[in-house]
């Protein structure tokens, strides 16, 4: 993908590469991450983290052969590898596009997507930690208090199902906020079919007072930012806005699998 940007073997900066290759500003972090990965493999070099040089790599096996070998060796990671394969084939196209086109380019099917974030080995440890927080907060509340949880998410929520179905806490309010109309429709259909009482709201970070629906104006015991914080234009403002939604002595849970 880096070779396809047209970069030569002269020194360049991240900004100059983004300009020359028409990479969307929302993918600056991704491009920097790719360059660091190449650096770890000895293919790229940077002494100051600003100027980069890419060297011509040695011949590598075909990417499809590498992918198939990984699938054969690690079948439990099929969801991760399916997403990686789809993403890899469209990497440069993905980096040209803004966030609104990303899902269309890299879509891997709803069932694969749900399995990735809910049951795959890659996310299992994270999910168990969040579920532990939910149970801890639920157990600590006085008997007369309703547990209130707000989750900003990508369009799926195993945490809501865990709270409502597995813990079976009836005295609870669960609100899921998302910024995508299709995700909103999918969530409404999912929880309507499962008869689990969950409120779905269209909302994005950062927040404004006018943007808050009635279901979100009473404060929450737990706020979960589920793989959405990396999309925020202003990280500090987004976190500060979310903190205002927390009740006293309650939990803000950040769920991100990024470096």
């Amino acid at each position: 993908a880096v070779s396809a940007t047209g970069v030569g073997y002269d020194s360049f900066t991240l900004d100059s590469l983004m300009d020359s290759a028409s990479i969307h500003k929302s993918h600056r972090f991704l491009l920097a991450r790719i360059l660091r990965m190449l650096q770890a493999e000895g293919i790229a070099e940077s002494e100051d983290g600003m100027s980069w040089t890419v060297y011509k790599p040695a011949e590598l096996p075909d990417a499809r052969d590498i992918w198939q070998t990984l699938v054969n060796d690690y079948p439990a990671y099929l969801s991760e590898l399916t997403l990686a394969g789809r993403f890899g084939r469209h990497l440069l196209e993905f980096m040209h596009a803004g966030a609104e086109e990303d899902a269309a380019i890299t879509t891997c099917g709803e069932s694969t997507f749900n399995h990735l974030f809910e049951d795959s080995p890659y996310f299992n440890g994270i999910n168990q930690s969040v579920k532990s927080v939910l149970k801890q907060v639920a157990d600590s509340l006085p008997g007369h208090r309703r547990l209130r949880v707000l989750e900003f998410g990508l369009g799926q929520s195993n945490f809501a199902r865990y709270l409502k179905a597995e813990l079976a806490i009836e005295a609870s309010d669960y609100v899921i906020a998302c910024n995508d109309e299709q995700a909103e429709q999918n969530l409404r259909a999912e929880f309507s079919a499962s008869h689990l009482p969950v409120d779905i709201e269209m909302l994005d970070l950062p927040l404004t007072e006018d943007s808050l629906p009635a279901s979100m104006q009473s404060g929450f015991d737990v706020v979960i930012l589920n793989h959405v914080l990396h999309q925020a234009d202003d990280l500090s403002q987004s976190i500060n806005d979310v903190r205002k939604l927390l009740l006293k002595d309650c939990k803000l849970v950040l769920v991100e699998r990024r470096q």
Side-chain angles (χ1 to χ4, degrees), residues 67 78-90 101-117 123:
W67 184 87
L78 179 60
S79 294
E80 291 91 327
L81 291 168
T82 299
L83 183 61
R86 181 70 59 87
F87 182 82
R89 289 195 298 273
H90 297 280
E101 294 96 6
D102 291 351
I105 294 171
T106 59
T107 180
C108 59
E110 184 178 352
S111 61
T112 302
F113 179 82
N114 288 341
H115 176 76
L116 174 68
F117 284 98
F123 288 102

Side-chain angles (χ1 to χ4, degrees), residues 22 26 41 48 63 110 120 159 168 206 221 228 232:
S22 300
S26 63
E41 296 295 328
D48 56 8
E110 184 178 352
S120 69
F159 304 133
D221 300 296
V228 296

